[in-house]
Amino acid sequence: MRLIKQNIERDGSGTITLFPEEPEDMWHAYNLIAPTDLLRASAIRKVTTEGVTGSTTSKRVHATLLIRVTSIDFDPQAGQLHVGGKVAEENKWVGVGAHHTLDLELNRNFTLEKKEGWDSVALDVVREAIKQDKEGTVPAVVMQEGLANICLITEHQTILKQRVETGIPKKRSGRSGDHDKGLTRFFEVTLETLKRHVDITLPRPLLLASPGFTAAGFQKYIMDEATRTGDKAVLANKGNLIVVHSSSGHLHSLNEVLKSPEVLTKLKDTKYSRETRSMDDFMTLLRKDDGRAWYGPAEVEKAVEKGAVGRGGGVLLISNSLFRSQEIGTRKRWVALVDKVKEDGGEARILSSDHESGTRLEGLGGIAAILTFPLDDLDEEEEEAVPNGTNQEPTV
């Protein structure tokens, strides 16, 4: 994402103009744009005119529209962002108050203004979006016989690019020919599909995960094909094809894949890996039950008020989905909490709900904290309402 123009006043009012250059930028835009914002972008509008004889004609015209946002629809697989709202500025082709959906596109500017002003979280999203030193995307294939999920692990989300499913005959006693042919065909289709979405010659990790020996068989197939076709770039990249165990070929198994030692070594400096470690650290403390790990909105807010999430190791974990609330007051509540933790010298980590770590955090109410000193009975009110209720470790 490129910053074209920033005009922000000391009170937070003003506009920012951005230029999305790659699909990941649409994800940043999705996290930046919220209901009640003013959004200006180019649009195509169908216009109907009536002639002197009463006949009507329709044509599509290009215009720049300003809308007050009411809805946001994001398709991460296609990288498309559709923003609906009411036209907020008179235009030659459309009147104020008319509904319109702006389709934000790559390589086209859009300008955003926040009704309640630009808060610290929104400005952090902008800073993250325009950061030049983007961390690399890591491709992965999570598979089992007859099923392969091809996905991309970006800095901020996991994107399923395509699912491959083919029928493979079962092995029969003394007759494995049909099974072997089916498996080879499955590998062939998976490799063709993988190449459409991923450049497997780039010097970066390519994760191949499966139960049993399916992933190892697929790795061998890739290298055999590279040898057969004389693809030196793929042959030279063999060391980056990492085979790891997973309990199944379904996408949710990516969680255990990313915890394997060989994968952690390769991904130790990525944002995804840091978020995963943050959640693992929290769950470890929660299991100890020593009062230093709490989750849930009320409990975490109490801990922050008591200064327990500050300097000396305090960490606030909060899902970015909480900042998408259509209620301005709700967003302000979480922004204030993040600001308070930072003021106290603690660390505030906003986890992506589109990553596995963020999904785990969602299961805890979207918010958790590691405290610098133990606190007891933060859930006392909830215990009174629900007999025997405790802040026990959830199943996530």
Side-chain angles (χ1 to χ4, degrees), residues 72-87:
I72 307 144
D73 179 38
F74 178 53
D75 181 348
Q77 192 165 351
Q80 296 177 342
L81 183 59
H82 313 289
V83 185
K86 293 184 177 181
V87 175

Side-chain angles (χ1 to χ4, degrees), residues 334-355:
W334 303 126
V335 170
L337 194 68
V338 168
D339 290 344
K340 177 69 165 63
V341 169
K342 291 180 178 179
E343 288 170 9
D344 290 348
E347 187 175 355
R349 299 179 185 172
I350 300 176
L351 272 59
S352 168
S353 59
D354 295 309
H355 267 330

Side-chain angles (χ1 to χ4, degrees), residues 236-375:
N237 208 30
K238 181 180 179 179
N240 282 315
L241 274 61
I242 306 171
V243 175
V244 290
H245 174 79
S246 65
S247 59
S248 78
H250 296 284
L251 194 59
H252 63 76
S253 295
L254 194 59
N255 175 25
E256 62 191 86
V257 170
L258 292 166
K259 290 182 180 179
S260 65
E262 58 266 55
V263 173
L264 286 174
T265 299
K266 292 282 186 178
L267 306 183
K268 63 181 179 180
D269 294 325
T270 65
K271 186 175 187 292
Y272 190 116
S273 183
R274 290 195 297 272
E275 290 186 358
T276 299
R277 284 199 302 272
S278 295
M279 281 305 301
D280 288 345
D281 291 344
F282 172 81
M283 297 305 293
T284 297
L285 282 172
L286 189 62
R287 281 189 285 272
K288 288 182 178 179
D289 194 23
D290 63 356
R292 287 190 55 218
W294 287 89
Y295 64 89
E299 291 83 349
V300 171
E301 284 182 309
K302 288 178 186 176
V304 172
E305 288 171 8
K306 294 175 182 292
V309 195
R311 188 173 289 102
V315 180
L316 173 68
L317 303 172
I318 185 167
S319 171
N320 62 2
S321 64
L322 295 182
F323 299 101
R324 297 193 196 115
S325 173
Q326 297 193 23
E327 296 293 329
I328 298 299
T330 299
R331 179 183 172 90
K332 285 185 173 181
R333 172 188 180 185
W334 303 126
V335 170
L337 194 68
V338 168
D339 290 344
K340 177 69 165 63
V341 169
K342 291 180 178 179
E343 288 170 9
D344 290 348
E347 187 175 355
R349 299 179 185 172
I350 300 176
L351 272 59
S352 168
S353 59
D354 295 309
H355 267 330
E356 174 276 332
S357 54
T359 301
R360 282 198 283 167
L361 186 59
E362 291 278 296
L364 304 174
I367 187 168
I370 296 173
L371 279 53
T372 56
F373 53 84
L375 289 175

Side-chain angles (χ1 to χ4, degrees), residues 6-231:
Q6 178 171 320
N7 183 24
I8 304 295
E9 302 297 332
R10 295 179 68 88
D11 62 358
S13 63
T15 63
I16 291 180
T17 301
L18 296 166
F19 184 80
E21 299 176 292
E22 54 188 50
E24 181 86 348
D25 292 339
M26 289 304 181
W27 184 89
H28 287 295
Y30 168 59
N31 283 285
L32 190 60
I33 300 169
T36 74
D37 288 354
L38 283 173
L39 176 65
R40 185 185 301 276
S42 60
I44 298 177
R45 180 87 179 183
K46 184 179 179 181
V47 177
T48 302
T49 56
E50 184 175 342
V52 292
T53 61
S55 61
T56 59
T57 57
S58 297
K59 63 178 180 179
R60 300 173 74 82
V61 298
H62 289 269
T64 298
L65 298 182
L66 180 71
I67 66 170
R68 177 74 68 180
V69 177
T70 57
S71 64
I72 307 144
D73 179 38
F74 178 53
D75 181 348
Q77 192 165 351
Q80 296 177 342
L81 183 59
H82 313 289
V83 185
K86 293 184 177 181
V87 175
E89 183 180 75
E90 192 70 34
N91 186 278
K92 177 182 178 182
W93 305 109
V94 58
V96 172
H99 286 274
H100 188 86
T101 297
L102 290 173
D103 299 318
L104 297 192
E105 300 178 357
L106 296 180
N107 303 312
R108 286 193 178 180
N109 291 355
F110 68 86
T111 299
L112 192 65
E113 180 179 350
K114 296 284 183 182
K115 181 180 179 181
E116 299 293 324
W118 290 85
D119 57 46
S120 62
V121 172
L123 290 174
D124 279 346
V125 173
V126 173
R127 280 190 284 270
E128 189 72 23
I130 63 176
K131 190 172 67 174
Q132 294 299 309
D133 54 340
K134 304 279 186 181
E135 297 185 46
T137 297
V138 177
V141 183
V142 186
M143 62 197 313
Q144 62 192 44
E145 288 195 0
L147 171 67
N149 288 287
I150 297 170
C151 54
L152 296 176
I153 306 166
T154 74
E155 187 176 358
H156 300 281
Q157 58 183 326
T158 299
I159 305 170
L160 174 64
K161 297 304 293 185
Q162 196 161 338
R163 179 177 287 110
V164 176
E165 293 184 83
T166 64
I168 299 178
K170 292 184 178 180
K171 283 185 178 180
R172 297 186 179 181
S173 180
R175 296 174 58 190
S176 61
D178 289 344
H179 172 270
D180 292 346
K181 288 179 182 177
L183 187 59
T184 299
R185 176 59 182 160
F186 167 60
F187 286 161
E188 179 184 356
V189 174
T190 302
L191 181 56
E192 289 174 354
T193 307
L194 178 63
K195 284 182 173 180
R196 283 201 299 271
H197 296 288
V198 174
D199 184 352
I200 64 174
T201 66
L202 292 179
R204 62 180 176 182
L206 169 57
L207 308 183
L208 307 175
S210 77
F213 302 100
T214 307
F218 183 50
Q219 181 199 42
K220 183 178 183 301
Y221 179 83
I222 293 173
M223 301 317 296
D224 287 348
E225 281 297 293
T227 300
R228 185 181 66 82
T229 60
D231 193 333

